[in-house]
Amino acid sequence: RRNFVESSEMKSLFRAGRALSSRQQRRNRNYCTAEPKRKSGQHSKLIFDSDAHKKPITRIFSGIQPTGDVHLGNYLGAIKNWVNLQNQYSGSSKIYFCIVDLHSLTTSLNRDALVKSTRELTATLLACGIDPTKAVLYNQSKVSGHSELSWILTCLTPMSMLKTMTQFKDKSKTQKDPLTGLYSYPILMAADILLFKASHVPVGEDQIQHIELTRELAGKFNRSFGVDLFDIPEVLLTPTRRVMSLRDATKKMSKSDPSELSRISINDSADAIREKITRAKTDLISGVTYEPDNRPEVANLVSMFSAMSGRQVEDICSQYAKTDLLAFKKGLIDVTVSELEPIRKEYLRLMNDIPFLDKILQQGGDKANADASETLRHVRSAAGLV
């Protein structure tokens, strides 16, 4: 058995502070499906690992933080994909969608704001199409097993691994004295996934480093205690390109951006969406082309158009090749309002029934606890916790 820290591949990974080695990056960028390889800007329904690592999808786990308004980047990068996964695999797989309220404590300790945002996110997920009869929807704090398994995995995790986590480096820059929770939350994320023995985890490319940590901790637990308890989870890369700010295409669309014009919130009115897209930064070149390096702002809007409409990038560029950007933006406004307006109306209806939202979370928590308790029983036995 090769010791965890003796893996030359992982030494390179964590010492260099990179999410993946170049070989792993190439492998993960080409997670294959039955479809042909995508051209730049195309969006396939699902992206899997290579044939050598492909395995049946039996359990899916993913989480989202209840912090601030859900914006278009969250919707296209996660939630819309969740709905597709749920509808495609609920008959053959166990699916867990978790509101990770424990993770949100690394950025906010406002009790009332957390209660409010947890309910708002629950309403948003339901309005977007998450179905509690097809997937287990719950908030993390209802399942104490997340914290228990996190502690056990913490005792197996070298500090050197956490020091090189790129997201910790990025987020800690904004804090004078970074909190310990921000440093160790990748272990809690690993516990989230392993608690339900997820076979696959839908994430964006910026989360791959955390999944690599999860995979390594699963293997280390098995080796350390001489068991075969945890499967090694595979990545399901989100099919949508990263959605960038409407004001600066070099930055991700973010809840923390001080400018409301930088993002489209899922619950924005039609008038608000129209204003934000109309005022989105572009360039002075006529016609629409998809050139991320030369025209990043236009490329970002084209990607949004493609993801919202389901049309190919080439088709969109062909339609608007000889028009001005205002005509293109009008088309984008139409497809965005068409998709988001029904979600907004359903969200507002659900937010008028707080007891129903709380009931959904409680029922989901009960289901999640039942499944987590079985995993924890084996974990405790393996670790000698009698």
Side-chain angles (χ1 to χ4, degrees):
R1 294 176 180 172
R2 184 176 62 180
N3 186 276
F4 172 70
V5 296
E6 290 178 349
S7 165
S8 60
E9 184 176 36
M10 293 310 299
K11 281 182 180 180
S12 172
L13 168 60
F14 289 109
R15 285 180 180 174
R18 296 181 305 208
L20 298 167
S21 66
S22 59
R23 177 179 61 80
Q24 289 170 309
Q25 287 176 348
R26 288 193 300 271
R27 187 190 76 193
N28 284 312
R29 278 199 299 267
N30 292 314
Y31 277 48
C32 73
T33 68
E35 305 171 8
K37 186 176 179 181
R38 295 179 299 159
K39 296 179 181 179
S40 178
Q42 288 182 330
H43 304 278
S44 71
K45 292 182 179 179
L46 292 170
I47 306 173
F48 298 96
D49 202 351
S50 62
D51 286 330
H53 298 82
K54 185 164 42 174
K55 62 182 181 182
I57 295 180
T58 56
R59 292 196 173 203
I60 295 172
F61 179 93
S62 197
I64 184 171
Q65 285 199 37
T67 52
D69 292 336
V70 175
H71 55 69
L72 197 61
N74 305 132
Y75 175 67
L76 296 177
I79 300 172
K80 190 171 184 178
N81 189 41
W82 287 8
V83 174
N84 291 336
L85 288 168
Q86 162 200 273
N87 293 337
Q88 185 168 357
Y89 289 103
S90 61
S92 59
S93 307
K94 198 68 178 284
I95 302 172
Y96 305 86
F97 295 135
C98 181
I99 298 174
V100 289
D101 49 2
L102 293 177
H103 284 285
S104 71
L105 296 177
T106 62
T107 57
S108 173
L109 296 176
N110 186 319
R111 185 261 179 200
D112 291 339
L114 181 55
V115 171
K116 180 175 181 287
S117 60
T118 298
R119 287 170 173 161
E120 288 175 343
L121 181 54
T122 304
T124 298
L125 293 174
L126 294 173
C128 288
I130 296 301
D131 184 346
T133 67
K134 295 181 178 180
V136 178
L137 175 62
Y138 73 104
N139 57 310
Q140 188 182 26
S141 59
K142 281 191 166 50
V143 181
S144 60
H146 286 277
S147 300
E148 181 177 346
L149 182 55
S150 178
W151 172 248
I152 294 171
L153 295 179
T154 297
C155 296
L156 297 174
T157 308
M159 290 181 64
S160 59
M161 291 172 56
L162 298 181
K163 288 179 180 178
T164 57
M165 286 288 152
T166 55
Q167 288 211 354
F168 169 74
K169 290 181 178 180
D170 293 340
K171 292 181 179 180
S172 63
K173 290 177 182 177
T174 62
Q175 298 184 11
K176 183 177 180 181
D177 188 14
L179 299 174
T180 304
L182 186 62
Y183 180 72
S184 61
Y185 93 92
I187 304 176
L188 178 57
M189 183 175 174
D192 298 338
I193 296 166
L194 297 179
L195 185 61
F196 298 100
K197 296 185 176 180
S199 64
H200 291 78
V201 186
V203 293
E205 289 185 350
D206 59 338
Q207 292 294 322
I208 289 180
Q209 188 183 30
H210 292 152
I211 306 304
E212 286 293 318
L213 173 65
T214 302
R215 291 163 59 89
E216 287 297 321
L217 289 179
K220 188 174 185 184
F221 183 96
N222 289 343
R223 293 192 298 272
S224 297
F225 298 111
V227 294
D228 189 23
L229 177 59
F230 293 122
D231 290 334
I232 307 302
E234 299 286 354
V235 168
L236 287 175
L237 282 176
T238 181
T240 300
R241 288 180 61 90
R242 187 178 300 182
V243 180
M244 312 306 285
S245 166
L246 299 179
R247 307 302 296 167
D248 182 354
T250 65
K251 299 178 181 178
K252 282 177 61 177
M253 187 174 286
S254 171
K255 307 168 187 176
S256 61
D257 193 309
S259 173
E260 289 287 336
L261 293 174
S262 69
R263 60 188 173 274
I264 295 173
S265 295
I266 291 297
N267 298 312
D268 276 344
S269 66
D271 287 342
I273 292 171
R274 185 174 296 107
E275 178 187 10
K276 291 177 179 181
I277 293 179
T278 300
R279 298 178 63 180
K281 182 181 178 182
T282 51
D283 52 40
L284 300 177
I285 304 172
S286 62
V288 173
T289 59
Y290 185 79
E291 302 175 71
D293 293 333
N294 299 323
R295 306 182 71 187
E297 293 86 4
V298 174
N300 184 43
L301 297 182
V302 172
S303 290
M304 288 169 49
F305 201 135
S306 176
M308 296 296 287
S309 66
R311 295 171 57 188
Q312 296 296 322
V313 164
E314 292 84 352
D315 181 35
I316 296 168
C317 291
S318 176
Q319 178 181 351
Y320 294 100
K322 297 181 180 180
T323 65
D324 58 36
L325 290 176
L326 285 178
F328 165 69
K329 285 184 174 181
K330 184 181 183 302
L332 177 56
I333 290 168
D334 290 343
V335 298
T336 303
V337 170
S338 176
E339 177 142 352
L340 297 187
E341 184 63 16
I343 293 174
R344 186 177 77 91
K345 290 180 178 179
E346 178 65 5
Y347 166 83
L348 294 174
R349 186 190 71 80
L350 290 167
M351 285 303 295
N352 285 322
D353 193 351
I354 298 301
F356 172 75
L357 298 177
D358 291 345
K359 181 180 179 181
I360 290 293
L361 292 178
Q362 186 59 56
Q363 290 176 340
D366 291 343
K367 292 178 183 178
N369 263 311
D371 293 340
S373 62
E374 182 66 15
T375 302
L376 286 173
R377 184 174 67 83
H378 292 292
V379 168
R380 292 173 189 141
S381 176
L385 302 173
V386 298

